[in-house]
Every structure is written in C-alpha cells, then in structure tokens.
C-alpha cells in the first residue's frame, strides 16, 4: 500500500553529524541495437503498440531465442570502459516470476556469472572543498532483457489503483538491457547525494561516448535505482537499506538520496528501525513512498538458461573491442581544452554544465567552437536551469544550433532574433527555418520598409534630425534606436544608420 502522508525528516546537517551513509546504485541501460537481444524484432522507441513483437519475445510455446552478437559486444565494451574483468565463460539464467508485462514468465538475465565484474569509475564530484575525484567500485555489469510496458487507464493517476483497465505493450520486451551494479559506496559522507549524481552523470557520458545507448533518462533508456542505508559511524556494520526506484533524472537521484538519508535518520533517531523495502520516488512531491517490502523477498528460482549456449568471448575479441573504447575522460579534457583555447575554470564550467559532448557535437555539425560554447553555456544553460532539466534533455539538437548560426551568417537574423528562434525550437515549433517563417523573425532588409520607418522616426524627432543635418552625426543613434524599436529589433542597425544618413544627405563621420 502507498501512504502519502509525509514522514518526519531530520535536518541534513544533523544526519551527517550522527550517521554515515552507504549507497548502492543499480543502473539499467537499454542498448541501442537495431534488433532485440534474443530475436530479430525492431527496437525503435515510440512505435505503435505491439508492432515490434514475434513468437520469441511474446514467449509463445516452442519459440527459441537466438543471441544478438551486438548485444554481447555492447556489454563487453561497457564492462571494459568500467575497468572490469570480462568473463572467460558465462551463461544466461532464468529469473522466474509472473508479471503481465513479461510474457515468458521468466526474464532471461545473468545471475552468478555476469559477463563483466570487478571494475571502477573515477568520478569528479563538486564539493564545498572544490572538485574531488571519488572512485566508485563496480560489482558487476550483466546482460538481461527489458520487459514490456503496462499502462493503467481510466483512472486519475495512471496507477493501478482506481484504473478501469490496463493494457500491455510488448514492443520493449526483449530489448537488450545491461544492469550495472556498484559495490557499496562508502566514505562519501555529506557528499553522498552529489557522488551518486556525479556517478550516474559520468556513466551516462561514458555510455554516450561508447555509442551503445541513447541514454535518455526521460525515455527510460537509462534508469537508476538507489540503495541507501545509514550506520552510526564508518566502522559500524552496514545498516538496513531501502531501494528507491523510479528516479528519472540526475537531479532526482541527488534529491531522492538526500531525502532517504533524512527520512531514515529520523526513523533511527526516534528509536525505530528502517524497513528493508522498495520505495518509489515522486518527482512532483519530492518524496519517496513505501512500495514492496523486501521481507517477503521473492525466490526467483534462478537456473541456467537451457535454450542458449554459454558465452565464451575469445581474448582476441575482447582486445579488439578494447581498441574501440573512447578516449579516457581526463585525456579528452586536456585535448579539448587545448583545441578550444579555454582555461581550467572555463573548462570546469563547460563540464559542470554538462555541455562538453553537446559542444563537441555542435562543432562536428559545422559550428565554430566559440559559437557552440556561447549558445550551450549562455541561453541554453539558463533555460535548462530554469526548467530544472539537464542541458542534454532540452528539445534542441547540435544541428539546430548550426542552423541558427547559418541564418545569422546569412544575415537572415541577428543575435537578438536568434534568441527568439531558439525559444521557438525549444517550444517545439520546428526547425530554425520554420520558426523564422512562422514567427516572422527575418531581419527587415527591404529598403522601402526601412525608409518608411526612418521617415516616421524623423517626423517624431525633428530636432534630432536637424542636429544630424547640421553635422552632429553622433545624434543618429536616437533615430536608429527608434527605427529598431519600430521594427521590433528585426532590422540591421548598421544598415538603418547608413540609410538614415543618406536620407538626410549627411556623410558618415
Ligand atoms: P537487489 O537484488 O536486492 O537489488 P543487488 O545486489 O542487485 O540487490 O543490489 C544492491 C545494491 O545495494 C548494490 O549496489 C549493493 O552494493 C548495495 N548495497 C548492499 N548492501 C547495502 C547497504 N546495507 N546499504 C546500502 N547499499 C547497499
Ligand atoms: Mg537489483
Ligand atoms: Zn521478437
């Protein structure tokens, strides 16, 4: 049962004074393979329900799976990028349970023989004491398949309670999924929520660089469950953990962990015990509520999958895949800093804004690096911040920025109009060209339209016009300003000035 009354929270500073947090992060990443893990069905996001299914992923009797080599390749590359060992030999396992979104009645997963294990990721974390590198140890990365998606319809909340009926879409069933599980993360102290966020953020960048996934938290191709527990001090045994699901943005990871720390601390300080359970994060109310209790922990009756042969990746193959890994983050940073000619502080702000990949992609799409940085770190960073979303999740692409820059270069729009074009793109009004056309944003370049506006401005400021005629060219600014205002900024100021002076018969100074 879900209870919505908010429990007591201990102030965060008190939590840190009295307890030591331990975390464990489980990240599920959907691979961007063209076909599913065990059949040839397409994996495209957003297709009409149940159009990307076949007997294998629908679990029809007698259907046999066939392993997707690209899925295994993605898993190995992820394992290598996380500094893991790659299994010499491993198997899939059946995780048996019933749920309507899982038509086979078992999930093909890996159990005690993961493809990758024992790795680590060094994560730069912003703290009050500056950026500190924190090593997150990786327990394992294993292969499994995604489930279908159930929607509860007819009710007010979209939850099963109160719904009239439920429908299931199996398009997602069987899409390759890699689950990446950390070892218990200790020693983060007050920075625990920031460490968790920085880890997922860096993992997402790494996965994007590997080009193995769309890593869209909003679309569910990257999902994170956060385990948290508190103990009295760094040498006490671990406390009881809760596992918070449904954390769908980087911000939420940080907030959900902080919230759980404060909630558990209040329970413990009040003499209570933390219940080992699954909790759900609510993006709207910023709190977690109790879900399934782990005391009735399911017995999944794991056993080796009999319909798939074991995987024994040859060391040659593993080394070939290692050679395809992207440049390590520190080396990349140094290289980009040199190419862009920015100092340490500027580079930090680009990294902290989550803009590095976007700037790189914008340059690759044809913009120069100053323009690329200007838009992502200025206008767009502000918008992302206002909306409380990540830069990468804004509804604008590097190619859009290049389009905007081309329109500026062609003289179709100026810098000020470009901001409006970007606002239009973000609002879903189409490409840069479409926004310009729909909102009528092109610079007024037509001389007769400009001249009419100039004559109007002169008529309103006859004394200024007299001064200009008398040789005070510096006074032209006031008339130019009036024309710019009349054309709502859609004129080229230099052109207006030239036309004005010519009209008044004055030579430019
Ligand atoms: P489950 O199947 O219950 O989700 P997993 O082993 O898949 O368990 O994941 C548990 C996660 O929680 C791992 O990242 C693990 O390191 C972490 N963890 C284990 N014990 C604790 C604890 N007491 N407090 C916080 N995290 C923990
Ligand atoms: Mg788990
Ligand atoms: Zn299929």
């Amino acid at each position: 049962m879900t209870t919505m009354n908010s429990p007591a929270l201990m102030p965060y500073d008190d939590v840190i004074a009295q307890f030591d947090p331990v975390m464990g992060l489980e990240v599920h990443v959907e691979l961007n393979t063209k076909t599913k893990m065990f059949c040839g069905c397409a994996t495209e996001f957003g297709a009409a329900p149940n159009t990307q299914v076949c007997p294998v992923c629908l679990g029809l009797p007698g259907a046999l799976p066939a392993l997707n080599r690209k899925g295994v390749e993605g898993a190995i590359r992820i394992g290598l990028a996380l500094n893991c060992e790659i299994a010499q030999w491993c198997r899939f396992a059946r995780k048996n349970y019933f749920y309507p979104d899982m038509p086979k009645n078992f999930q093909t997963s890996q159990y005690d023989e993961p493809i990758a294990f024992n790795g680590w990721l060094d994560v730069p974390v912003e703290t009050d004491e500056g950026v500190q590198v924190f090593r997150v140890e990786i327990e394992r990365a294993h292969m499994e398949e995604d489930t279908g998606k159930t929607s509860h319809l007819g009710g007010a909340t979209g939850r099963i309670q109160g719904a009239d009926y439920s429908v299931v879409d199996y398009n997602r069933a069987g899409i390759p999924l890699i689950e990446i599980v950390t070892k218990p993360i200790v020693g983060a102290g007050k920075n625990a929520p920031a460490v968790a966020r920085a880890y997922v953020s860096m993992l997402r960048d790494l996965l994007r660089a590997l080009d193995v996934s769309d890593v869209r938290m909003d679309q569910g191709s990257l999902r994170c469950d956060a385990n948290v527990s508190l103990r009295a001090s760094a040498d006490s045994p671990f406390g009881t953990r809760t596992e918070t699901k449904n954390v769908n943005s980087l911000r939420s990871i940080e907030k959900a962990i902080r919230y759980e720390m404060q909630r558990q601390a209040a329970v413990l300080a009040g003499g209570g015990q933390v219940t080992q359970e699954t909790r759900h994060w609510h993006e709207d109310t910023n709190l977690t509520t109790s879900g399934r209790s782990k005391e009735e922990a399911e017995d999944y009756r794991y056993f080796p999958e009999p319909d798939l042969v074991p995987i024994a990746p040859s060391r040659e193959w593993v080394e070939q895949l290692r050679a395809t890994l992207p440049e390590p983050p520190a080396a990349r940073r140094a290289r980009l800093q040199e190419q862009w000619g920015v100092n340490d502080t500027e580079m930090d702000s680009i990294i902290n804004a989550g803009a590095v990949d976007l700037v790189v992609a914008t340059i690759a799409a044809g913009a120069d690096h100053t323009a690329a940085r200007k838009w992502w770190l200025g206008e767009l960073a502000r918008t992302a911040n206002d909306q409380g979303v990540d830069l990468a999740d804004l509804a604008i692409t590097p190619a859009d920025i290049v389009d905007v820059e081309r329109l500026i270069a062609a003289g179709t729009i100026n810098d000020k109009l470009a901001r409006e074009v970007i606002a239009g793109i973000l609002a879903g009004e189409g490409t840069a060209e479409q926004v310009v056309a729909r909102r009528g944003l092109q610079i007024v370049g037509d001389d007769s339209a400009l001249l009419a506006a100039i004559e109007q401005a002169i008529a309103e400021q006859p004394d200024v016009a007299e001064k200009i005629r008398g040789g005070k060219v510096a006074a032209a600014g006031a008339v130019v300003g009036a024309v710019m205002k009349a054309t709502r900024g859609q004129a080229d100021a230099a052109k207006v000035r030239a036309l004005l002076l010519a009209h008044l018969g004055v030579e430019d100074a």
Side-chain angles (χ1 to χ4, degrees):
M1 250 321 281
T2 304
T3 46
M4 293 303 290
N5 45 343
S6 12
L9 300 182
M10 183 185 280
Y12 193 73
D13 288 345
D14 296 348
V15 179
I16 296 311
Q18 295 176 38
F19 297 101
D20 181 46
V22 176
M23 302 185 293
L25 298 167
E26 297 168 68
V27 169
H28 284 93
V29 52
E30 251 181 23
L31 296 185
N32 58 3
T33 51
K34 287 200 174 58
T35 56
K36 293 187 180 179
M37 194 63 171
F38 305 113
C39 63
C41 288
T43 55
E44 215 161 299
F45 182 81
N50 298 310
T51 54
Q52 297 176 350
V53 292
C54 75
V56 173
C57 55
L58 286 177
L60 299 188
L64 284 173
L67 185 57
N68 183 341
R69 182 185 169 92
K70 279 279 174 195
V72 180
E73 186 176 303
I76 295 176
R77 291 180 72 235
I78 291 172
L80 290 172
L82 293 172
N83 306 291
C84 288
E85 296 172 45
I86 304 302
Q88 301 273 354
W89 188 92
C90 66
R91 286 176 297 188
F92 283 97
R94 287 191 182 184
K95 182 180 181 180
N96 297 282
Y97 65 97
F98 169 77
Y99 201 75
D101 66 14
M102 210 189 47
K104 297 191 298 189
N105 285 341
F106 62 85
Q107 180 187 31
T108 308
S109 181
Q110 292 197 287
Y111 184 47
D112 49 358
E113 299 169 359
I115 182 113
F117 50 93
N118 266 346
W120 49 266
L121 189 62
D122 277 340
V123 180
V125 183
E126 264 216 277
T127 70
D128 294 343
E129 294 79 39
V131 175
Q132 292 179 1
V133 174
F134 195 95
R135 176 161 293 190
V136 173
E137 294 186 309
I138 310 292
E139 169 88 38
R140 64 179 197 269
H142 73 241
M143 297 179 285
E144 54 185 41
E145 58 181 334
D146 213 342
T147 57
K149 203 169 161 47
T150 310
S151 305
H152 306 294
L153 303 178
T157 60
R159 295 196 202 117
I160 193 162
Q161 296 90 346
D164 292 332
Y165 59 97
S166 301
V167 290
V168 194
D169 175 9
Y170 292 112
N171 284 352
R172 204 179 65 179
I175 290 187
L177 212 54
I178 307 300
E179 178 172 344
I180 301 162
V181 183
T182 68
K183 292 185 179 165
I185 300 171
V186 297
K190 67 169 190 233
N191 295 317
V195 166
R197 179 190 178 139
Y199 164 71
V200 178
S201 168
M202 178 141 186
L203 184 57
R204 189 177 67 167
D205 291 348
L206 191 66
L207 294 167
R208 191 183 285 125
L210 284 167
D211 196 19
V212 288
S213 170
D214 299 341
V215 287
R216 292 278 301 261
M217 294 189 86
D218 58 327
Q219 292 185 352
S221 50
L222 185 75
R223 315 198 278 269
C224 178
D225 301 337
N227 294 268
V228 186
S229 67
L230 295 179
R231 53 180 172 170
S233 72
D235 29 63
S236 317
F238 290 172
T240 304
R241 69 184 157 109
T242 60
E243 180 177 355
T244 302
K245 304 239 176 214
N246 216 13
V247 213
N248 294 332
S249 69
L250 291 177
R251 243 172 224 242
S252 296
I253 290 169
E254 192 166 3
K255 285 201 262 180
I257 287 174
R258 194 182 160 99
Y259 177 91
E260 263 307 284
M261 287 167 64
Q262 293 184 268
R263 190 193 64 82
Q264 291 182 13
V267 170
L268 294 170
Q273 284 188 328
V274 173
T275 314
Q276 181 163 356
E277 63 184 356
T278 303
R279 298 183 66 86
H280 296 282
W281 172 249
H282 299 274
E283 194 85 50
D284 42 355
T285 47
N286 282 343
L287 47 80
T288 65
T289 56
S290 169
R292 200 155 32 97
S293 160
K294 278 261 165 131
E295 277 163 344
E296 316 135 32
E298 309 81 346
D299 180 354
Y300 291 119
R301 307 244 160 191
Y302 279 102
F303 65 84
E305 167 60 57
D307 287 344
L308 288 163
V309 291
I311 305 159
S314 76
R315 296 302 100 175
E316 294 73 43
W317 190 33
V318 171
E319 289 318 307
Q320 274 166 22
L321 293 177
R322 196 192 300 279
T324 69
L325 295 186
E327 185 179 21
R332 181 166 186 251
R333 176 190 166 120
R335 178 175 58 79
L336 293 177
Q337 220 178 308
E338 156 118 33
Q339 276 173 9
W340 297 346
V342 296
N343 62 29
D344 279 351
T345 327
E346 286 169 307
M347 197 63 194
D348 278 343
S349 66
I350 299 172
I351 292 172
N352 292 337
V356 178
D357 289 337
L358 294 162
V359 171
V360 168
T362 307
I363 295 166
D368 76 69
H369 65 80
T370 316
R373 277 187 286 127
K374 178 185 86 176
W375 290 116
W376 288 111
L377 288 174
E379 198 73 4
L380 294 166
R382 262 194 305 282
T383 310
N385 196 46
D386 290 346
Q387 296 181 5
V389 301
D390 285 315
L391 207 49
D393 293 337
L394 286 177
I396 190 164
T397 64
D400 289 326
I401 299 298
V402 174
D403 285 347
V404 169
E405 279 293 316
R406 283 207 187 101
L407 291 172
I408 296 175
T412 312
I413 55 174
N414 55 25
D415 226 59
K416 179 165 169 292
L417 292 168
R419 281 165 221 282
E420 272 199 62
V421 174
I422 284 175
I425 297 171
L426 289 169
E429 292 167 27
T431 64
E433 283 82 359
Q434 286 165 339
V435 175
V436 167
R438 288 199 188 134
R439 292 197 179 191
L441 293 178
Q442 56 278 34
I443 287 174
V444 178
D446 174 12
D447 286 5
S448 63
L450 283 181
L451 268 177
I454 287 169
E455 277 167 9
Q456 171 84 22
I458 290 173
E460 280 161 11
Q461 308 182 59
D463 46 331
V464 180
E466 255 336 288
K467 276 192 202 155
I468 302 170
R469 278 202 191 90
K472 274 204 76 182
V473 177
V479 183
V480 173
V483 173
M484 294 303 287
K485 204 169 162 198
T487 54
R488 302 202 321 278
Q490 287 172 236
D492 176 347
K495 186 165 183 188
V496 172
R497 185 185 150 91
L499 280 174
L500 168 70
L501 295 181
H503 185 70
L504 294 175
V506 184
E507 291 241 338
D508 203 347

